[in-house]
């Protein structure tokens, strides 16, 4: 009856037809422009046929429809408001035409029906869902909300409160929840999905199901329940100021409640255009593309590496224990070696504690947890190391100690075994100096805490071989983490850029800024914690040392600071959370968690650095002074080839540092501001030092009107 590249319509018995989404040459279905065109044509053909009594909608893939084609967003978002709104309304005409068919339509939902995929099903008369399937409206995670009638049809089928909840949180729902909340009509076992949907369609075609009454509900205004809407609004996260999609969606739902379908769809299209033009949407869509690029790069890096059947970790401290735990959790047996029995016991106990949390949360069966723990072998010697393919050294950040440990380790391993040194500031070239096989040494910079942080920097030293980099990237991928390959340099990528940011903070404090105001300004700007609080969490003694080591590698932009708040605090034993006193005070609360409170003595101590006394700074000036050195250093890192692309640098800062997502990363943020504006800010603050001076490439970009992304 109809055969396209994305959709086919097949005749069934008794005047029924099957509209099957079956994207040629792909594992999934998505609603791209070609699919929408074919759906329009197929619907017109069905509507013109007097013999059709009902339509069964299916998918030939393991999923139903995963959503819109995000690759088409960039071009669409570049349209002016009028053309973009018109384009959205044109796409909605396809769903309207399908919804307006004079025959019943029933969707059989297998696998995932997300975003536009769920919106497609809402245009049908009824929905049957496999018990293993999931449905949801995750657009808010891209800084958007549904734009194919999802706000209109969901509110009229399931109620305003349910629509608000689903759209605002963006979470997928299991079949039982979707049935209970009125989004679908039936749930069945996966093997019974087709038969159940067909039976429902036959009932509708025979007049036993009043599908026209369901359709009428979608044409009319919806009964508003504003109390429930207020409850959803109260639960919006604090980031709503920077990621406004959820709040905009709730306002749209309320405004559209009193309109008919045509009016509500027009309003949705207009508001969708507005949300698509926000900074958050531009950044979050870019992050999606960057994530896909990173996954592809990681697979390419790991492609030629050897498979790790047996790993080892030297050093059972916080980092080493965490690395051993995550390695074992993801299926690779690991030998955990330390010189002290007490540290080994502590490392294994921490792994057991982490596993117990997984079991309690229902994420891991007890038997599986026991197996993971059994795959960690604690030992005081090198027994079995001749069978290790990949060994991670995680001892203290001291070059002489690492040299001694690595020389001994290399002698115990096979010729082709890879050694990864876990370091945050020492150069791989220096660490490799005493080794007989420096080609087998690669750097790994894990972020703390290891189980929670998704990023690992894979550092290629000047003598590191390609096989070592590939095996390390594969090892990191096998741990469920994201590897980014970076060049050996002081601070590598994330900590180098962070150092520029922290130095800007130190300079602000020396110039008279109140560190609490700086924290508030940067947290309001979107950072999870301000720089003073961050240093307290890191440990001020550690942060001061790392700041000095990395700064020494870039003397032109990062010369010694004569008035260094971190050094002063460390000298007075104010180490942050680790000893309860830093920029703030810390004490255990009733739940055992550390609670932060003001520390007047910290202000008194820092007054020693502020020769001209306390000064007031506007928040905008604080933000500019903090962000510009970070952005300039990111530009230097890209130009020096520390990472291979703007996408890698932006994602490294997002994953490793908690860079505000709505900004997209430092280079994406410069794209949003526009390079000419960035240069004006640099010139405004140039008197503060070389760290505020734009690179020649940045100036060339401003002149040419080019962007990083």
């Amino acid at each position: 009856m109809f055969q396209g590249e994305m959709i086919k319509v097949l005749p069934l018995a008794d005047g029924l037809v099957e509209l099957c989404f079956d994207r040629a040459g792909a594992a999934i279905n998505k609603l791209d422009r070609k699919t929408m065109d074919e759906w329009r044509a197929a619907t017109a053909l069905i509507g013109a046929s007097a013999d059709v009594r009902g339509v069964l909608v299916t998918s030939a893939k393991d999923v139903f429809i995963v959503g819109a084609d995000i690759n088409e967003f960039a071009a669409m978002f570049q349209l002016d408001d009028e053309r973009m709104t018109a384009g959205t309304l044109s796409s909605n005409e396809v769903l309207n035409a399908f919804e307006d068919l004079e025959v019943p339509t029933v969707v059989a939902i297998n696998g995932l029906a997300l975003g536009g995929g769920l919106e497609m099903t809402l245009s049908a008369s009824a929905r049957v869902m496999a018990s293993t399937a999931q449905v949801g409206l995750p657009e808010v995670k891209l800084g958007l909300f549904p734009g194919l009638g999802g706000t209109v049809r969901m509110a009229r089928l399931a109620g305003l409160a349910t629509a608000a909840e689903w759209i605002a949180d963006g979470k997928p729902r299991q079949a039982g929840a979707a049935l209970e909340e009125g989004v679908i009509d039936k749930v069945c076992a996966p093997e019974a999905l087709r038969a159940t949907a067909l039976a429902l369609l036959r009932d509708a075609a025979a007049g036993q199901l009043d599908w026209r009454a369901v359709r009428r509900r979608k044409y009319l205004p919806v009964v508003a329940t504003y109390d429930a809407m207020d409850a959803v609004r109260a639960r919006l996260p604090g980031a709503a100021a920077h990621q406004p999609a959820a709040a905009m969606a709730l306002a749209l739902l309320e405004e559209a409640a009193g309109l008919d379908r045509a009016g509500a769809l027009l309003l949705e299209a207009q508001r969708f255009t507005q949300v698509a033009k926000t900074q958050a949407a531009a950044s979050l869509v870019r992050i999606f593309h960057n994530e896909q690029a990173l996954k592809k790069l990681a697979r390419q890096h790991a492609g030629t590496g050897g498979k790790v059947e047996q790993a080892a970790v030297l050093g059972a401290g916080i980092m080493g224990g965490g690395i051993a735990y995550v390695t074992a959790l993801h299926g690779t047996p690991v030998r955990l070696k330390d010189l002290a029995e007490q540290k080994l016991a502590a490392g294994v106990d921490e792994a057991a504690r982490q596993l117990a949390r997984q079991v309690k949360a229902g994420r891991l069966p007890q038997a599986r947890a026991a197996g993971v723990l059994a795959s960690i072998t604690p030992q005081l010697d090198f027994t079995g190391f001749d069978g290790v393919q990949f060994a991670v050294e995680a001892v203290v950040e001291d070059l002489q100690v690492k040299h001694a440990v690595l020389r001994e380790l290399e002698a115990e391993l096979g010729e082709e075994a890879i050694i990864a040194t876990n370091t945050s500031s020492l150069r791989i070239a220096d660490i490799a100096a005493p080794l007989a096989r420096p080609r087998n040494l690669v750097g790994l910079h894990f972020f703390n805490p290891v189980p929670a942080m998704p990023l690992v920097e894979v550092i290629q030293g000047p003598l590191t071989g390609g096989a070592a980099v590939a095996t390390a990237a594969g090892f990191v991928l096998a741990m469920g983490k994201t590897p980014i390959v970076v060049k050996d340099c002081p601070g590598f990528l994330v900590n180098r850029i962070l150092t520029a940011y922290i130095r800007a903070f130190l300079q602000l404090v020396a110039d008279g800024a109140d560190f609490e105001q700086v924290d508030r300004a940067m947290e309001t700007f979107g950072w999870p914690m301000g720089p003073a609080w961050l240093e307290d969490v890191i440990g001020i003694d550690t942060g001061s040392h790392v700041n000095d080591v990395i700064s020494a590698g870039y003397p032109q932009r990062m010369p010694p600071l004569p008035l260094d708040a971190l050094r002063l605090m460390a000298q007075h034993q104010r180490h942050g959370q680790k000893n309860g006193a830093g920029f703030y005070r810390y004490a255990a609360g009733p739940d055992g968690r550390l609670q932060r409170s003001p520390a007047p003595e910290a202000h008194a101590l820092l007054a020693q650095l502020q020769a001209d006394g306390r000064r007031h700074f506007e928040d905008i000036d604080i933000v500019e002074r903090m962000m510009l050195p970070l952005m300039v250093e990111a530009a230097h890192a890209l130009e020096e080839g520390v990472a291979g692309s703007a996408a890698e640098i932006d994602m490294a800062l997002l994953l490793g540092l908690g860079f505000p997502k709505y900004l997209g990363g430092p280079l994406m943020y410069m794209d949003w501001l526009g390079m000419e504006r960035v240069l004006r800010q640099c010139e405004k603050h140039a008197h503060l030092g070389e760290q505020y001076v734009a690179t020649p490439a940045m100036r060339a970009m401003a002149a040419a009107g080019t962007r990083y992304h």
Side-chain angles (χ1 to χ4, degrees), residues 153-193:
R153 295 183 175 93
M154 177 69 92
R156 284 150 181 78
L157 285 172
L160 204 62
T162 295
E165 193 78 47
W166 282 47
I167 292 168
D169 69 26
K171 297 176 182 177
R173 262 68 173 187
Q174 304 290 336
L179 179 65
E180 182 180 346
E181 297 186 51
V183 177
I184 63 168
D185 300 277
K186 283 193 175 184
V187 176
C188 63
E191 60 272 17
L193 179 62

Side-chain angles (χ1 to χ4, degrees), residues 1 9 20 45 68 90 167 173 196 215 248 290 344 359 418 549 553 604 663 670 704 707:
M1 189 172 181
V9 179
C20 180
L45 187 65
S90 177
I167 292 168
R173 262 68 173 187
T196 304
R215 185 173 67 180
M248 291 176 69
N290 288 351
L344 280 175
V359 171
I418 305 302
V549 170
L663 299 177
M670 283 198 274
R707 301 160 55 92

Side-chain angles (χ1 to χ4, degrees), residues 257-281:
L259 304 176
D260 62 10
R261 185 185 72 174
L265 287 175
L266 173 60
L267 189 63
E268 180 191 79
Q270 292 169 338
R271 296 294 184 267
F272 184 81
T273 295
Q274 291 175 4
V275 78
K277 303 288 186 175
T278 62
Q279 182 177 11

